[in-house]
Amino acid sequence: MIGASILAVNALHTLMRRGQATRVTSLLYLTPIFAVLLELLFFGVVPTATSIVGIVVTCFGVALVAWKASRAVR
C-alpha cells in the first residue's frame, strides 16, 4: 500500500511538471466509485439511488475534464 502511494505521488509530480496535473487530480475522484464497486463484488452491498446518481455525476465531471484537457493538448 505504501509503495502504491509513493508511486502515485511520483506520477502526480511528473505529470505536474508536464502540465497534466488537472487530468491526474480529476482521476482521484474515481476512487470512491471503485470502492462502491468492490463493495458490491465482495460483500454484495447494492448501491443506493443516491450513490448511483453521485457515480454518474462524478464520471461526467471526470470525462469533462479529460475531454477538455485532450482538446487543449492538440
Side-chain angles (χ1 to χ4, degrees):
M1 206 48 125
I2 293 173
S5 296
I6 292 171
L7 181 64
V9 169
N10 284 333
L12 178 63
H13 285 272
T14 301
L15 290 168
M16 281 206 277
R17 280 186 254 135
R18 295 183 182 178
Q20 299 291 322
T22 305
R23 289 180 85 176
V24 175
T25 53
S26 71
L27 296 176
L28 295 175
Y29 289 105
L30 297 177
T31 305
I33 295 172
F34 286 113
V36 169
L37 292 175
L38 289 174
E39 188 178 45
L40 176 65
L41 290 174
F42 290 126
F43 303 114
V45 177
V46 179
T48 62
T50 306
S51 296
I52 293 171
V53 169
I55 288 170
V56 169
V57 169
T58 303
C59 288
F60 178 73
V62 171
L64 187 63
V65 168
W67 181 68
K68 281 187 176 181
S70 67
R71 285 187 60 199
V73 171
R74 292 180 186 177

